[in-house]
PDB file of all heavy atoms in Angstrom:
ATOM      1  N   ILE A 965      91.430   2.467  29.175  1.00 96.00           N
ATOM      2  CA  ILE A 965      89.992   2.285  28.946  1.00 96.00           C
ATOM      3  C   ILE A 965      89.738   0.850  28.665  1.00 96.00           C
ATOM      4  O   ILE A 965      90.376   0.201  27.801  1.00 96.00           O
ATOM      5  CB  ILE A 965      89.536   3.119  27.716  1.00 96.00           C
ATOM      6  CG1 ILE A 965      89.891   4.601  27.909  1.00 96.00           C
ATOM      7  CG2 ILE A 965      88.020   2.971  27.542  1.00 96.00           C
ATOM      8  CD1 ILE A 965      89.594   5.443  26.685  1.00 96.00           C
ATOM      9  N   TYR A 966      88.786   0.255  29.429  1.00 97.00           N
ATOM     10  CA  TYR A 966      88.385  -1.114  29.227  1.00 97.00           C
ATOM     11  C   TYR A 966      87.029  -1.084  28.476  1.00 97.00           C
ATOM     12  O   TYR A 966      86.055  -0.478  28.952  1.00 97.00           O
ATOM     13  CB  TYR A 966      88.224  -1.821  30.557  1.00 97.00           C
ATOM     14  CG  TYR A 966      89.570  -2.075  31.206  1.00 97.00           C
ATOM     15  CD1 TYR A 966      90.275  -1.041  31.818  1.00 97.00           C
ATOM     16  CD2 TYR A 966      90.163  -3.354  31.194  1.00 97.00           C
ATOM     17  CE1 TYR A 966      91.516  -1.257  32.390  1.00 97.00           C
ATOM     18  CE2 TYR A 966      91.396  -3.574  31.764  1.00 97.00           C
ATOM     19  CZ  TYR A 966      92.078  -2.524  32.378  1.00 97.00           C
ATOM     20  OH  TYR A 966      93.276  -2.716  32.947  1.00 97.00           O
ATOM     21  N   VAL A 967      87.012  -1.700  27.307  1.00 97.00           N
ATOM     22  CA  VAL A 967      85.889  -1.581  26.373  1.00 97.00           C
ATOM     23  C   VAL A 967      85.153  -2.907  26.316  1.00 97.00           C
ATOM     24  O   VAL A 967      85.750  -3.923  25.970  1.00 97.00           O
ATOM     25  CB  VAL A 967      86.403  -1.191  24.984  1.00 97.00           C
ATOM     26  CG1 VAL A 967      85.224  -0.797  24.096  1.00 97.00           C
ATOM     27  CG2 VAL A 967      87.448  -0.056  25.083  1.00 97.00           C
ATOM     28  N   GLN A 968      83.861  -2.903  26.670  1.00 97.00           N
ATOM     29  CA  GLN A 968      83.088  -4.141  26.779  1.00 97.00           C
ATOM     30  C   GLN A 968      81.827  -4.070  25.924  1.00 97.00           C
ATOM     31  O   GLN A 968      81.142  -3.055  25.868  1.00 97.00           O
ATOM     32  CB  GLN A 968      82.709  -4.368  28.283  1.00 97.00           C
ATOM     33  CG  GLN A 968      81.856  -5.562  28.560  1.00 97.00           C
ATOM     34  CD  GLN A 968      80.347  -5.349  28.304  1.00 97.00           C
ATOM     35  OE1 GLN A 968      79.866  -4.246  28.359  1.00 97.00           O
ATOM     36  NE2 GLN A 968      79.641  -6.416  27.980  1.00 97.00           N
ATOM     37  N   ASP A 969      81.523  -5.210  25.290  1.00 96.00           N
ATOM     38  CA  ASP A 969      80.237  -5.383  24.634  1.00 96.00           C
ATOM     39  C   ASP A 969      80.009  -6.883  24.465  1.00 96.00           C
ATOM     40  O   ASP A 969      80.992  -7.629  24.275  1.00 96.00           O
ATOM     41  CB  ASP A 969      80.172  -4.675  23.302  1.00 96.00           C
ATOM     42  CG  ASP A 969      78.746  -4.361  22.884  1.00 96.00           C
ATOM     43  OD1 ASP A 969      77.976  -5.308  22.612  1.00 96.00           O
ATOM     44  OD2 ASP A 969      78.353  -3.171  22.852  1.00 96.00           O
ATOM     45  N   ILE A 970      78.755  -7.314  24.482  1.00 96.00           N
ATOM     46  CA  ILE A 970      78.472  -8.728  24.276  1.00 96.00           C
ATOM     47  C   ILE A 970      78.303  -9.090  22.808  1.00 96.00           C
ATOM     48  O   ILE A 970      78.327 -10.258  22.442  1.00 96.00           O
ATOM     49  CB  ILE A 970      77.227  -9.116  25.096  1.00 96.00           C
ATOM     50  CG1 ILE A 970      77.178 -10.653  25.290  1.00 96.00           C
ATOM     51  CG2 ILE A 970      75.938  -8.602  24.395  1.00 96.00           C
ATOM     52  CD1 ILE A 970      76.173 -11.122  26.327  1.00 96.00           C
ATOM     53  N   ALA A 971      78.165  -8.055  21.940  1.00 94.00           N
ATOM     54  CA  ALA A 971      78.049  -8.295  20.509  1.00 94.00           C
ATOM     55  C   ALA A 971      79.463  -8.239  19.904  1.00 94.00           C
ATOM     56  O   ALA A 971      80.053  -7.156  19.733  1.00 94.00           O
ATOM     57  CB  ALA A 971      77.157  -7.226  19.866  1.00 94.00           C
ATOM     58  N   GLU A 972      79.976  -9.398  19.558  1.00 92.00           N
ATOM     59  CA  GLU A 972      81.357  -9.500  19.070  1.00 92.00           C
ATOM     60  C   GLU A 972      81.557  -8.682  17.790  1.00 92.00           C
ATOM     61  O   GLU A 972      82.590  -7.988  17.661  1.00 92.00           O
ATOM     62  CB  GLU A 972      81.689 -10.958  18.845  1.00 92.00           C
ATOM     63  CG  GLU A 972      83.161 -11.176  18.370  1.00 92.00           C
ATOM     64  CD  GLU A 972      83.513 -12.643  18.222  1.00 92.00           C
ATOM     65  OE1 GLU A 972      82.644 -13.507  18.566  1.00 92.00           O
ATOM     66  OE2 GLU A 972      84.607 -12.929  17.770  1.00 92.00           O
ATOM     67  N   GLN A 973      80.595  -8.722  16.895  1.00 90.00           N
ATOM     68  CA  GLN A 973      80.743  -8.028  15.627  1.00 90.00           C
ATOM     69  C   GLN A 973      80.915  -6.512  15.850  1.00 90.00           C
ATOM     70  O   GLN A 973      81.760  -5.877  15.206  1.00 90.00           O
ATOM     71  CB  GLN A 973      79.549  -8.306  14.735  1.00 90.00           C
ATOM     72  CG  GLN A 973      79.403  -9.743  14.285  1.00 90.00           C
ATOM     73  CD  GLN A 973      78.651 -10.610  15.295  1.00 90.00           C
ATOM     74  OE1 GLN A 973      78.483 -10.236  16.469  1.00 90.00           O
ATOM     75  NE2 GLN A 973      78.190 -11.773  14.855  1.00 90.00           N
ATOM     76  N   MET A 974      80.129  -5.949  16.738  1.00 92.00           N
ATOM     77  CA  MET A 974      80.202  -4.544  17.031  1.00 92.00           C
ATOM     78  C   MET A 974      81.552  -4.182  17.686  1.00 92.00           C
ATOM     79  O   MET A 974      82.199  -3.211  17.298  1.00 92.00           O
ATOM     80  CB  MET A 974      79.050  -4.124  17.943  1.00 92.00           C
ATOM     81  CG  MET A 974      77.693  -4.087  17.257  1.00 92.00           C
ATOM     82  SD  MET A 974      77.496  -2.709  16.143  1.00 92.00           S
ATOM     83  CE  MET A 974      77.261  -1.350  17.297  1.00 92.00           C
ATOM     84  N   LEU A 975      81.904  -4.967  18.688  1.00 94.00           N
ATOM     85  CA  LEU A 975      83.127  -4.655  19.428  1.00 94.00           C
ATOM     86  C   LEU A 975      84.358  -4.713  18.544  1.00 94.00           C
ATOM     87  O   LEU A 975      85.232  -3.840  18.612  1.00 94.00           O
ATOM     88  CB  LEU A 975      83.301  -5.631  20.606  1.00 94.00           C
ATOM     89  CG  LEU A 975      84.448  -5.212  21.540  1.00 94.00           C
ATOM     90  CD1 LEU A 975      83.916  -4.202  22.568  1.00 94.00           C
ATOM     91  CD2 LEU A 975      85.017  -6.407  22.236  1.00 94.00           C
ATOM     92  N   LEU A 976      84.469  -5.727  17.708  1.00 93.00           N
ATOM     93  CA  LEU A 976      85.638  -5.852  16.838  1.00 93.00           C
ATOM     94  C   LEU A 976      85.716  -4.743  15.812  1.00 93.00           C
ATOM     95  O   LEU A 976      86.781  -4.316  15.397  1.00 93.00           O
ATOM     96  CB  LEU A 976      85.623  -7.254  16.153  1.00 93.00           C
ATOM     97  CG  LEU A 976      85.760  -8.426  17.090  1.00 93.00           C
ATOM     98  CD1 LEU A 976      85.830  -9.726  16.300  1.00 93.00           C
ATOM     99  CD2 LEU A 976      86.990  -8.287  17.988  1.00 93.00           C
ATOM    100  N   ALA A 977      84.563  -4.213  15.415  1.00 92.00           N
ATOM    101  CA  ALA A 977      84.545  -3.031  14.541  1.00 92.00           C
ATOM    102  C   ALA A 977      85.175  -1.824  15.307  1.00 92.00           C
ATOM    103  O   ALA A 977      85.898  -1.053  14.697  1.00 92.00           O
ATOM    104  CB  ALA A 977      83.108  -2.701  14.115  1.00 92.00           C
ATOM    105  N   GLY A 978      84.873  -1.735  16.583  1.00 93.00           N
ATOM    106  CA  GLY A 978      85.467  -0.675  17.389  1.00 93.00           C
ATOM    107  C   GLY A 978      86.979  -0.798  17.498  1.00 93.00           C
ATOM    108  O   GLY A 978      87.706   0.205  17.522  1.00 93.00           O
ATOM    109  N   VAL A 979      87.435  -2.029  17.598  1.00 93.00           N
ATOM    110  CA  VAL A 979      88.921  -2.235  17.622  1.00 93.00           C
ATOM    111  C   VAL A 979      89.537  -1.700  16.363  1.00 93.00           C
ATOM    112  O   VAL A 979      90.544  -0.921  16.400  1.00 93.00           O
ATOM    113  CB  VAL A 979      89.226  -3.757  17.774  1.00 93.00           C
ATOM    114  CG1 VAL A 979      90.752  -3.987  17.682  1.00 93.00           C
ATOM    115  CG2 VAL A 979      88.668  -4.308  19.076  1.00 93.00           C
ATOM    116  N   ASP A 980      88.971  -2.036  15.229  1.00 92.00           N
ATOM    117  CA  ASP A 980      89.528  -1.597  13.951  1.00 92.00           C
ATOM    118  C   ASP A 980      89.448  -0.096  13.780  1.00 92.00           C
ATOM    119  O   ASP A 980      90.389   0.547  13.261  1.00 92.00           O
ATOM    120  CB  ASP A 980      88.783  -2.274  12.804  1.00 92.00           C
ATOM    121  CG  ASP A 980      89.015  -3.783  12.729  1.00 92.00           C
ATOM    122  OD1 ASP A 980      90.047  -4.231  13.261  1.00 92.00           O
ATOM    123  OD2 ASP A 980      88.173  -4.459  12.151  1.00 92.00           O
ATOM    124  N   ARG A 981      88.359   0.463  14.229  1.00 93.00           N
ATOM    125  CA  ARG A 981      88.119   1.911  14.017  1.00 93.00           C
ATOM    126  C   ARG A 981      88.953   2.818  14.904  1.00 93.00           C
ATOM    127  O   ARG A 981      89.432   3.860  14.473  1.00 93.00           O
ATOM    128  CB  ARG A 981      86.647   2.244  14.215  1.00 93.00           C
ATOM    129  CG  ARG A 981      85.733   1.680  13.149  1.00 93.00           C
ATOM    130  CD  ARG A 981      84.308   2.098  13.453  1.00 93.00           C
ATOM    131  NE  ARG A 981      83.330   1.662  12.428  1.00 93.00           N
ATOM    132  CZ  ARG A 981      82.069   1.979  12.383  1.00 93.00           C
ATOM    133  NH1 ARG A 981      81.546   2.764  13.312  1.00 93.00           N
ATOM    134  NH2 ARG A 981      81.300   1.529  11.404  1.00 93.00           N
ATOM    135  N   TYR A 982      89.082   2.449  16.166  1.00 93.00           N
ATOM    136  CA  TYR A 982      89.602   3.395  17.134  1.00 93.00           C
ATOM    137  C   TYR A 982      90.889   3.009  17.854  1.00 93.00           C
ATOM    138  O   TYR A 982      91.543   3.877  18.416  1.00 93.00           O
ATOM    139  CB  TYR A 982      88.532   3.695  18.192  1.00 93.00           C
ATOM    140  CG  TYR A 982      87.307   4.364  17.603  1.00 93.00           C
ATOM    141  CD1 TYR A 982      86.114   3.687  17.478  1.00 93.00           C
ATOM    142  CD2 TYR A 982      87.359   5.679  17.177  1.00 93.00           C
ATOM    143  CE1 TYR A 982      84.991   4.288  16.957  1.00 93.00           C
ATOM    144  CE2 TYR A 982      86.291   6.303  16.615  1.00 93.00           C
ATOM    145  CZ  TYR A 982      85.068   5.608  16.491  1.00 93.00           C
ATOM    146  OH  TYR A 982      83.963   6.221  15.958  1.00 93.00           O
ATOM    147  N   ALA A 983      91.283   1.761  17.881  1.00 92.00           N
ATOM    148  CA  ALA A 983      92.460   1.333  18.652  1.00 92.00           C
ATOM    149  C   ALA A 983      93.703   2.102  18.210  1.00 92.00           C
ATOM    150  O   ALA A 983      94.432   2.651  19.069  1.00 92.00           O
ATOM    151  CB  ALA A 983      92.645  -0.173  18.543  1.00 92.00           C
ATOM    152  N   PRO A 984      94.039   2.192  16.948  1.00 92.00           N
ATOM    153  CA  PRO A 984      95.265   2.891  16.553  1.00 92.00           C
ATOM    154  C   PRO A 984      95.226   4.381  16.981  1.00 92.00           C
ATOM    155  O   PRO A 984      96.243   4.848  17.525  1.00 92.00           O
ATOM    156  CB  PRO A 984      95.282   2.759  15.024  1.00 92.00           C
ATOM    157  CG  PRO A 984      94.471   1.574  14.738  1.00 92.00           C
ATOM    158  CD  PRO A 984      93.377   1.573  15.768  1.00 92.00           C
ATOM    159  N   GLU A 985      94.112   5.046  16.745  1.00 91.00           N
ATOM    160  CA  GLU A 985      94.015   6.490  17.082  1.00 91.00           C
ATOM    161  C   GLU A 985      94.144   6.739  18.574  1.00 91.00           C
ATOM    162  O   GLU A 985      94.905   7.618  19.017  1.00 91.00           O
ATOM    163  CB  GLU A 985      92.656   6.987  16.586  1.00 91.00           C
ATOM    164  CG  GLU A 985      92.337   8.410  17.036  1.00 91.00           C
ATOM    165  CD  GLU A 985      90.887   8.787  16.734  1.00 91.00           C
ATOM    166  OE1 GLU A 985      90.200   8.063  15.965  1.00 91.00           O
ATOM    167  OE2 GLU A 985      90.425   9.814  17.249  1.00 91.00           O
ATOM    168  N   VAL A 986      93.423   5.967  19.364  1.00 92.00           N
ATOM    169  CA  VAL A 986      93.428   6.183  20.812  1.00 92.00           C
ATOM    170  C   VAL A 986      94.750   5.838  21.428  1.00 92.00           C
ATOM    171  O   VAL A 986      95.288   6.562  22.306  1.00 92.00           O
ATOM    172  CB  VAL A 986      92.262   5.367  21.472  1.00 92.00           C
ATOM    173  CG1 VAL A 986      92.415   5.414  22.995  1.00 92.00           C
ATOM    174  CG2 VAL A 986      90.919   5.912  21.057  1.00 92.00           C
ATOM    175  N   GLU A 987      95.321   4.710  21.048  1.00 90.00           N
ATOM    176  CA  GLU A 987      96.611   4.295  21.641  1.00 90.00           C
ATOM    177  C   GLU A 987      97.730   5.217  21.190  1.00 90.00           C
ATOM    178  O   GLU A 987      98.694   5.426  21.954  1.00 90.00           O
ATOM    179  CB  GLU A 987      96.894   2.835  21.289  1.00 90.00           C
ATOM    180  CG  GLU A 987      95.861   1.924  21.976  1.00 90.00           C
ATOM    181  CD  GLU A 987      96.201   0.456  21.835  1.00 90.00           C
ATOM    182  OE1 GLU A 987      96.903   0.107  20.903  1.00 90.00           O
ATOM    183  OE2 GLU A 987      95.743  -0.320  22.750  1.00 90.00           O
ATOM    184  N   ALA A 988      97.633   5.818  20.031  1.00 90.00           N
ATOM    185  CA  ALA A 988      98.629   6.787  19.569  1.00 90.00           C
ATOM    186  C   ALA A 988      98.580   8.030  20.444  1.00 90.00           C
ATOM    187  O   ALA A 988      99.591   8.754  20.586  1.00 90.00           O
ATOM    188  CB  ALA A 988      98.399   7.159  18.115  1.00 90.00           C
ATOM    189  N   ALA A 989      97.424   8.268  21.082  1.00 90.00           N
ATOM    190  CA  ALA A 989      97.277   9.428  21.969  1.00 90.00           C
ATOM    191  C   ALA A 989      97.780   9.145  23.385  1.00 90.00           C
ATOM    192  O   ALA A 989      97.700  10.003  24.247  1.00 90.00           O
ATOM    193  CB  ALA A 989      95.836   9.858  22.002  1.00 90.00           C
ATOM    194  N   GLY A 990      98.270   7.934  23.602  1.00 94.00           N
ATOM    195  CA  GLY A 990      98.888   7.614  24.901  1.00 94.00           C
ATOM    196  C   GLY A 990      97.977   6.869  25.845  1.00 94.00           C
ATOM    197  O   GLY A 990      98.364   6.588  26.978  1.00 94.00           O
ATOM    198  N   VAL A 991      96.764   6.497  25.439  1.00 95.00           N
ATOM    199  CA  VAL A 991      95.819   5.805  26.287  1.00 95.00           C
ATOM    200  C   VAL A 991      95.769   4.328  25.916  1.00 95.00           C
ATOM    201  O   VAL A 991      95.721   4.000  24.705  1.00 95.00           O
ATOM    202  CB  VAL A 991      94.406   6.390  26.180  1.00 95.00           C
ATOM    203  CG1 VAL A 991      93.380   5.591  26.955  1.00 95.00           C
ATOM    204  CG2 VAL A 991      94.436   7.844  26.696  1.00 95.00           C
ATOM    205  N   THR A 992      95.853   3.433  26.873  1.00 94.00           N
ATOM    206  CA  THR A 992      95.811   2.008  26.637  1.00 94.00           C
ATOM    207  C   THR A 992      94.391   1.509  26.556  1.00 94.00           C
ATOM    208  O   THR A 992      93.568   1.837  27.397  1.00 94.00           O
ATOM    209  CB  THR A 992      96.581   1.232  27.731  1.00 94.00           C
ATOM    210  OG1 THR A 992      97.917   1.729  27.798  1.00 94.00           O
ATOM    211  CG2 THR A 992      96.621  -0.238  27.451  1.00 94.00           C
ATOM    212  N   LEU A 993      94.093   0.681  25.561  1.00 95.00           N
ATOM    213  CA  LEU A 993      92.779   0.083  25.395  1.00 95.00           C
ATOM    214  C   LEU A 993      92.820  -1.407  25.673  1.00 95.00           C
ATOM    215  O   LEU A 993      93.763  -2.097  25.293  1.00 95.00           O
ATOM    216  CB  LEU A 993      92.269   0.314  23.970  1.00 95.00           C
ATOM    217  CG  LEU A 993      91.889   1.737  23.560  1.00 95.00           C
ATOM    218  CD1 LEU A 993      91.509   1.778  22.100  1.00 95.00           C
ATOM    219  CD2 LEU A 993      90.734   2.283  24.431  1.00 95.00           C
ATOM    220  N   HIS A 994      91.753  -1.906  26.350  1.00 95.00           N
ATOM    221  CA  HIS A 994      91.558  -3.308  26.578  1.00 95.00           C
ATOM    222  C   HIS A 994      90.139  -3.661  26.143  1.00 95.00           C
ATOM    223  O   HIS A 994      89.188  -3.137  26.712  1.00 95.00           O
ATOM    224  CB  HIS A 994      91.741  -3.695  28.059  1.00 95.00           C
ATOM    225  CG  HIS A 994      93.026  -3.243  28.644  1.00 95.00           C
ATOM    226  ND1 HIS A 994      94.187  -3.944  28.538  1.00 95.00           N
ATOM    227  CD2 HIS A 994      93.340  -2.112  29.351  1.00 95.00           C
ATOM    228  CE1 HIS A 994      95.180  -3.291  29.151  1.00 95.00           C
ATOM    229  NE2 HIS A 994      94.673  -2.200  29.674  1.00 95.00           N
ATOM    230  N   PHE A 995      89.979  -4.510  25.134  1.00 95.00           N
ATOM    231  CA  PHE A 995      88.678  -4.888  24.630  1.00 95.00           C
ATOM    232  C   PHE A 995      88.328  -6.294  25.179  1.00 95.00           C
ATOM    233  O   PHE A 995      89.189  -7.162  25.228  1.00 95.00           O
ATOM    234  CB  PHE A 995      88.664  -4.913  23.106  1.00 95.00           C
ATOM    235  CG  PHE A 995      88.800  -3.572  22.476  1.00 95.00           C
ATOM    236  CD1 PHE A 995      90.014  -2.998  22.222  1.00 95.00           C
ATOM    237  CD2 PHE A 995      87.645  -2.855  22.097  1.00 95.00           C
ATOM    238  CE1 PHE A 995      90.139  -1.742  21.617  1.00 95.00           C
ATOM    239  CE2 PHE A 995      87.764  -1.614  21.505  1.00 95.00           C
ATOM    240  CZ  PHE A 995      88.998  -1.043  21.245  1.00 95.00           C
ATOM    241  N   SER A 996      87.055  -6.491  25.462  1.00 96.00           N
ATOM    242  CA  SER A 996      86.572  -7.826  25.803  1.00 96.00           C
ATOM    243  C   SER A 996      85.150  -8.045  25.337  1.00 96.00           C
ATOM    244  O   SER A 996      84.322  -7.114  25.456  1.00 96.00           O
ATOM    245  CB  SER A 996      86.667  -8.088  27.336  1.00 96.00           C
ATOM    246  OG  SER A 996      85.675  -7.365  28.029  1.00 96.00           O
ATOM    247  N   VAL A 997      84.897  -9.200  24.783  1.00 96.00           N
ATOM    248  CA  VAL A 997      83.534  -9.602  24.469  1.00 96.00           C
ATOM    249  C   VAL A 997      83.016 -10.272  25.724  1.00 96.00           C
ATOM    250  O   VAL A 997      83.466 -11.340  26.142  1.00 96.00           O
ATOM    251  CB  VAL A 997      83.475 -10.559  23.281  1.00 96.00           C
ATOM    252  CG1 VAL A 997      82.045 -10.956  22.944  1.00 96.00           C
ATOM    253  CG2 VAL A 997      84.175  -9.971  22.065  1.00 96.00           C
ATOM    254  N   SER A 998      82.080  -9.634  26.410  1.00 97.00           N
ATOM    255  CA  SER A 998      81.673 -10.096  27.722  1.00 97.00           C
ATOM    256  C   SER A 998      80.274  -9.605  28.050  1.00 97.00           C
ATOM    257  O   SER A 998      79.681  -8.830  27.326  1.00 97.00           O
ATOM    258  CB  SER A 998      82.660  -9.614  28.762  1.00 97.00           C
ATOM    259  OG  SER A 998      82.823  -8.199  28.726  1.00 97.00           O
ATOM    260  N   ASP A 999      79.748 -10.088  29.141  1.00 97.00           N
ATOM    261  CA  ASP A 999      78.394  -9.792  29.621  1.00 97.00           C
ATOM    262  C   ASP A 999      78.459  -8.668  30.622  1.00 97.00           C
ATOM    263  O   ASP A 999      79.101  -8.818  31.670  1.00 97.00           O
ATOM    264  CB  ASP A 999      77.798 -11.071  30.234  1.00 97.00           C
ATOM    265  CG  ASP A 999      76.331 -10.884  30.599  1.00 97.00           C
ATOM    266  OD1 ASP A 999      75.808  -9.773  30.500  1.00 97.00           O
ATOM    267  OD2 ASP A 999      75.688 -11.891  30.949  1.00 97.00           O
ATOM    268  N   ALA A1000      77.797  -7.564  30.340  1.00 97.00           N
ATOM    269  CA  ALA A1000      77.795  -6.416  31.265  1.00 97.00           C
ATOM    270  C   ALA A1000      77.115  -6.747  32.563  1.00 97.00           C
ATOM    271  O   ALA A1000      77.306  -6.039  33.571  1.00 97.00           O
ATOM    272  CB  ALA A1000      77.096  -5.216  30.604  1.00 97.00           C
ATOM    273  N   MET A1001      76.331  -7.842  32.638  1.00 97.00           N
ATOM    274  CA  MET A1001      75.705  -8.242  33.859  1.00 97.00           C
ATOM    275  C   MET A1001      76.552  -9.267  34.658  1.00 97.00           C
ATOM    276  O   MET A1001      76.151  -9.728  35.713  1.00 97.00           O
ATOM    277  CB  MET A1001      74.333  -8.839  33.551  1.00 97.00           C
ATOM    278  CG  MET A1001      73.370  -7.806  32.947  1.00 97.00           C
ATOM    279  SD  MET A1001      71.787  -8.543  32.458  1.00 97.00           S
ATOM    280  CE  MET A1001      72.335  -9.574  31.086  1.00 97.00           C
ATOM    281  N   ASN A1002      77.754  -9.564  34.121  1.00 98.00           N
ATOM    282  CA  ASN A1002      78.638 -10.470  34.798  1.00 98.00           C
ATOM    283  C   ASN A1002      80.090 -10.097  34.371  1.00 98.00           C
ATOM    284  O   ASN A1002      80.730 -10.852  33.647  1.00 98.00           O
ATOM    285  CB  ASN A1002      78.337 -11.908  34.464  1.00 98.00           C
ATOM    286  CG  ASN A1002      79.164 -12.939  35.257  1.00 98.00           C
ATOM    287  OD1 ASN A1002      79.579 -12.650  36.366  1.00 98.00           O
ATOM    288  ND2 ASN A1002      79.422 -14.088  34.681  1.00 98.00           N
ATOM    289  N   LEU A1003      80.538  -8.964  34.837  1.00 98.00           N
ATOM    290  CA  LEU A1003      81.800  -8.425  34.367  1.00 98.00           C
ATOM    291  C   LEU A1003      83.032  -9.203  34.912  1.00 98.00           C
ATOM    292  O   LEU A1003      83.012  -9.615  36.046  1.00 98.00           O
ATOM    293  CB  LEU A1003      81.955  -6.963  34.801  1.00 98.00           C
ATOM    294  CG  LEU A1003      80.939  -5.993  34.150  1.00 98.00           C
ATOM    295  CD1 LEU A1003      80.964  -4.651  34.848  1.00 98.00           C
ATOM    296  CD2 LEU A1003      81.238  -5.850  32.656  1.00 98.00           C
ATOM    297  N   PRO A1004      84.055  -9.352  34.080  1.00 97.00           N
ATOM    298  CA  PRO A1004      85.216 -10.120  34.510  1.00 97.00           C
ATOM    299  C   PRO A1004      86.317  -9.280  35.203  1.00 97.00           C
ATOM    300  O   PRO A1004      87.475  -9.226  34.824  1.00 97.00           O
ATOM    301  CB  PRO A1004      85.773 -10.673  33.158  1.00 97.00           C
ATOM    302  CG  PRO A1004      85.436  -9.599  32.179  1.00 97.00           C
ATOM    303  CD  PRO A1004      84.112  -9.021  32.622  1.00 97.00           C
ATOM    304  N   PHE A1005      85.869  -8.573  36.269  1.00 97.00           N
ATOM    305  CA  PHE A1005      86.774  -7.717  37.004  1.00 97.00           C
ATOM    306  C   PHE A1005      86.522  -7.793  38.497  1.00 97.00           C
ATOM    307  O   PHE A1005      85.354  -7.997  38.907  1.00 97.00           O
ATOM    308  CB  PHE A1005      86.576  -6.262  36.575  1.00 97.00           C
ATOM    309  CG  PHE A1005      86.713  -5.994  35.104  1.00 97.00           C
ATOM    310  CD1 PHE A1005      85.598  -5.740  34.343  1.00 97.00           C
ATOM    311  CD2 PHE A1005      87.964  -6.016  34.483  1.00 97.00           C
ATOM    312  CE1 PHE A1005      85.683  -5.541  32.950  1.00 97.00           C
ATOM    313  CE2 PHE A1005      88.082  -5.807  33.121  1.00 97.00           C
ATOM    314  CZ  PHE A1005      86.932  -5.566  32.376  1.00 97.00           C
ATOM    315  N   VAL A1006      87.550  -7.644  39.257  1.00 95.00           N
ATOM    316  CA  VAL A1006      87.414  -7.608  40.718  1.00 95.00           C
ATOM    317  C   VAL A1006      86.712  -6.320  41.116  1.00 95.00           C
ATOM    318  O   VAL A1006      86.632  -5.362  40.319  1.00 95.00           O
ATOM    319  CB  VAL A1006      88.766  -7.674  41.434  1.00 95.00           C
ATOM    320  CG1 VAL A1006      89.463  -9.004  41.139  1.00 95.00           C
ATOM    321  CG2 VAL A1006      89.661  -6.480  41.033  1.00 95.00           C
ATOM    322  N   GLY A1007      86.190  -6.257  42.329  1.00 96.00           N
ATOM    323  CA  GLY A1007      85.480  -5.078  42.778  1.00 96.00           C
ATOM    324  C   GLY A1007      86.403  -3.868  42.928  1.00 96.00           C
ATOM    325  O   GLY A1007      87.596  -3.998  43.214  1.00 96.00           O
ATOM    326  N   GLN A1008      85.836  -2.688  42.677  1.00 96.00           N
ATOM    327  CA  GLN A1008      86.514  -1.419  42.859  1.00 96.00           C
ATOM    328  C   GLN A1008      87.799  -1.315  42.041  1.00 96.00           C
ATOM    329  O   GLN A1008      88.793  -0.709  42.456  1.00 96.00           O
ATOM    330  CB  GLN A1008      86.807  -1.161  44.357  1.00 96.00           C
ATOM    331  CG  GLN A1008      85.535  -1.098  45.208  1.00 96.00           C
ATOM    332  CD  GLN A1008      85.727  -0.450  46.548  1.00 96.00           C
ATOM    333  OE1 GLN A1008      86.476   0.533  46.681  1.00 96.00           O
ATOM    334  NE2 GLN A1008      85.042  -0.956  47.539  1.00 96.00           N
ATOM    335  N   PHE A1009      87.753  -1.871  40.849  1.00 96.00           N
ATOM    336  CA  PHE A1009      88.928  -1.876  39.987  1.00 96.00           C
ATOM    337  C   PHE A1009      89.083  -0.595  39.192  1.00 96.00           C
ATOM    338  O   PHE A1009      90.155  -0.165  38.811  1.00 96.00           O
ATOM    339  CB  PHE A1009      88.828  -3.088  39.014  1.00 96.00           C
ATOM    340  CG  PHE A1009      90.016  -3.265  38.122  1.00 96.00           C
ATOM    341  CD1 PHE A1009      91.227  -3.691  38.579  1.00 96.00           C
ATOM    342  CD2 PHE A1009      89.871  -3.007  36.773  1.00 96.00           C
ATOM    343  CE1 PHE A1009      92.299  -3.850  37.751  1.00 96.00           C
ATOM    344  CE2 PHE A1009      90.947  -3.177  35.911  1.00 96.00           C
ATOM    345  CZ  PHE A1009      92.167  -3.599  36.392  1.00 96.00           C
TER     346      PHE A1009
END
């Protein structure tokens, strides 16, 4: 799961709240503070 938000304060709260629980369930998380209108990913990723 790639997790994006432009509000750093909100996103980092999500890291603290959910990263341990989700990754313990076997799912990898990637967080980025970024612009949803200019995503840092190649097409069809």
